[in-house]
Amino acid sequence: MAGLPSTARVVIIGGGAVGVSALYHLAKAGWTDCVLLEKNELTSGSTWHAAGNVPTFSSSWSLMNMQRYSTELYRGLATAVDYPMNYHVTGSIRLAHTRERMREFQRAKGMGRYQGMAIDVIGADEIKARYPFIETHDLLGALYDPNDGDIDPAQLTQALAKGARDMGAKIVRFCPVTGAQRDNGEWVLTTPEGEIRCDYVVNAAGYRAREVGKLFGRDVPMMVMSHQYILFDEIPELAAWTKEVGHKLPLLRDVDTSYYLRQEKSGMNLGPYERNCRAHWATHDDPMPEDFSFQLFPDDLERLEWYLSDAVARVPILGTAGVSKVINGPIPYAPDGNPLLGPMPGVPNAFEACVFTFGIAQAGGAGKVLAEWVTEGATEWDMWSCDPRRFTSFAAAPDYSVAKGMEIYGHEYAIHFPRHAWPAGRNRKLSPIHDRIAALGAQFNAYNGWERATWYAKPGDDISEEATQTFDRDGPWQKRIREECLAVRDAAGILDLPGFSRYRVEGEGARAWLSTLITGVVPKPGRIGLGYFADDHGRIVTEMSIMALGEDFFFLITASVAELHDLEWLEKHLPQGTRISVKNVTDAFACQILSGPNARAILADVTDADLSQPWLTHQSCRIAGRWCQLVRVSFAGELGWEIHTKVEDTAAIFDAVWAAGQRHGLRPFGMFALDSLRLEKGYRAWKQDLSTDYTILQGGLERFVKWDKPAFKGKAALQNEKQQGVRKRFATLVIDNPGPCDAPYMSTVWHDGAIVGETLSGGWGHRVDKSIALGMVRADLAEPGAKVEIEIFGERFAATVQKDEPLWDPHNERLKG
Ligand SMILES: Cc1cc2nc3c(=O)[nH]c(=O)nc-3n(C[C@H](O)[C@H](O)[C@H](O)COP(=O)(O)OP(=O)(O)OC[C@H]3O[C@@H](n4cnc5c(N)ncnc54)[C@H](O)[C@@H]3O)c2cc1C
């Protein structure tokens, strides 16, 4: 066993598949002075007992990317590091029982093809041809993924460990990290073997990540489920078939029923994600033991009985085999089921690569991503879906993590529909007027824990969860969303928007400093403007509204879910010894959007503010005797104001505006209507249209670039890109003859039989009566009138590229009115 070095550039805590892959990728990037510390033996956490399935399927672009990368890495790894291992690329068949499932598969096929994978949708005959033992009478089809397979997780980990060691990285086993301190800008980690100093630290402690996080003062949002698979004895019929054809069956996933079934030698392995699932170590009387290395939970087959009988009906030869073994092990879950991979929120030079539920399939890609975070401070692909900063402090509450973890586990294979609100872990953060808007018919969903109205139902509308199980545009909500949009167009609408993230930035030099961070102009006092923050590659890091209250005094406002991400970006770029302060004041303020041609008349009834002040200005005033900041902007694209108030004044101000509005046709509107309204204006949504996958120029944001500023972050890269020519560009597309669905994220855009781009946001614009998609297309096609096709759930629809201006009110006359 290697002894503990006294220093290292990076220390990784945890030697499962993910931690070792991180070490391997750091070493590959030339960072060989890295040490991995493992409490017990490598793989002794969740890795040793994992089934080792390696799917590429995901409905998330970034997760699919990470899994695709893993499969490519694993195929060549044995040779690359000279460590033989069992990796069977068998392909997989994912069964569809419903039309919506087929749509999900069509979308995955499109995304997979865009990533260079030959994923395909197949019919019953082909299912049977590939899997002769299956009953297909009740199936609509399946997704065939030729890259799927299974790997031996221990061998994978050992192979990565060998590769890392061969490059000079070190692994110290039986060396738990028990303490962490910051000293002189370095981390000092305590272990029974002594101390080790390092520049960077990575929490890769799997299901023990919460415990390790505590050493750094970080409360990791996670919980632990017990997950089982059943191994069956040899099935002679299967053995004979395998011998005859010379290969294994493809892996089978009955996702509507919720299990996978894999051939294991001549037997089978059945792994359900059961609804009646069980959390472990979730209550005070069930603490996580000090050591659980290489241990399992007792079998609990009763929970799986229903799934077993369903699998036997699907593949009857399974019924002929006896159970040989049950594996029941711990598997960690974050509240959305995705891993925590990226900067550790609020902790300097610390990262997380933990809480993986598919850590074998994702280890390869995760190692690449983690190494990029550490060595470059940024990743090649936008990895917001896995970024630990996507959860703010409320999400770490154990009851929340447990409720969400159980919900996700029980719906591991569920389809994520655009109008569906998952019910667990709700009502965490309520606006002071929650009950008032609920009484008006508000249907809610959680945005960073804040309950916001999505649409307003009327008596008799179907508000059931079942109704939302569709990708169709139409549903009980559609008529109401239309009414809400048209009220905003013709009269006025009010939307309660709790939880906007907000930072108070002030101090000598604040203006000059902000100017180095954004690509454009910092607004003058009394004005508000959008600031785009680029990284050194010119890529879009974030967008914030900058409200200038004085020469060196600002409020920066950003998306609710961006709270920790954007704060960290600001704090990270504060100059040494500065007098500028950045304070997170998110929890102190609230916001209501009032928009529509009658907005001025409504406000005139409740305030003596100067309502003639132009667009992009702001002023302090009083409504119902309470202070508020009236900000003349509208994400809905009509005459309007945002009313920013103290949280405790929300109700008084809402009541006053609501009462005054009754004479002017005021009605409440929700987030679905707002999304439709902003699409018509071409306004980008955070991490949907705005992400590090694109540069500022690709994002069509050059009008926010002030080239003659002396310096700003990303300037050199953007200048270079402009000189070379931008290869793809943001465009608004309108579908010529729309079908039943609008374009979901990452629908491919075609031209002349080739893929030329992708959509980012799609939806129906009720003011223009069109199906709109915001997306990226090859630069030569980003011209008004260019004809393309958008593939929506497998069907291609002709679409037309629009002028580079809003579809609704192109010259902003209504906004400025
Ligand atoms: C029954 C079952 C089947 C599964 N099947 C699959 C599958 O088919 N495909 C798939 O992709 N995933 C599967 N998983 C999930 C998979 O096992 C995990 O996602 C994966 O193993 C996580 O790897 P990891 O490296 O993040 O964590 P782990 O393997 O848990 O490693 C974490 C390591 O950190 C160490 N550690 C903890 N605390 C400290 C400390 N203080 N100091 C030093 N070291 C510490 C632990 O000892 C452990 O070795 C399955 C899980 C279960 C339970």
Side-chain angles (χ1 to χ4, degrees), residues 95 97 124 127-128 131-139 252 254 311-317:
L95 307 178
H97 294 247
I127 300 174
K128 197 88 187 164
Y131 205 110
F133 304 103
I134 194 170
E135 293 295 327
T136 56
H137 58 279
D138 55 347
L139 300 176
L252 192 73
D254 195 337
V312 169
R314 178 74 47 210
V315 181
I317 53 165

Side-chain angles (χ1 to χ4, degrees), residues 13-19 37-55 175-178 204-208 211-212 215 227-229 260 262 293 327-332 353-362:
I13 305 170
V18 174
L37 303 181
E38 164 53 47
K39 181 182 165 92
N40 190 279
E41 182 56 90
L42 291 185
T43 75
S44 59
S46 290
T47 296
W48 73 277
H49 55 61
N53 303 332
V54 187
C175 188
V177 173
T178 54
Y207 63 78
R208 305 199 85 98
E211 186 181 287
V212 168
L215 306 178
H227 178 43
Q228 308 181 73
Y229 58 83
Y260 69 81
R262 188 179 95 195
S293 309
I327 300 284
N328 185 4
I331 187 165
C354 49
V355 197
F356 281 77
T357 61
F358 292 96
I360 308 307
Q362 293 168 356

Side-chain angles (χ1 to χ4, degrees), residues 583-623:
K583 205 168 154 206
N584 184 359
V585 292
T586 298
D587 291 341
F589 294 94
C591 175
Q592 291 164 62
I593 290 182
L594 177 69
S595 236
N598 296 349
R600 182 175 280 125
I602 295 170
L603 283 179
D605 284 354
V606 293
T607 173
D608 53 8
D610 176 4
L611 299 172
S612 68
Q613 286 196 16
W615 187 44
L616 302 179
T617 59
H618 59 90
Q619 59 186 306
S620 276
C621 70
R622 289 196 165 261
I623 294 178

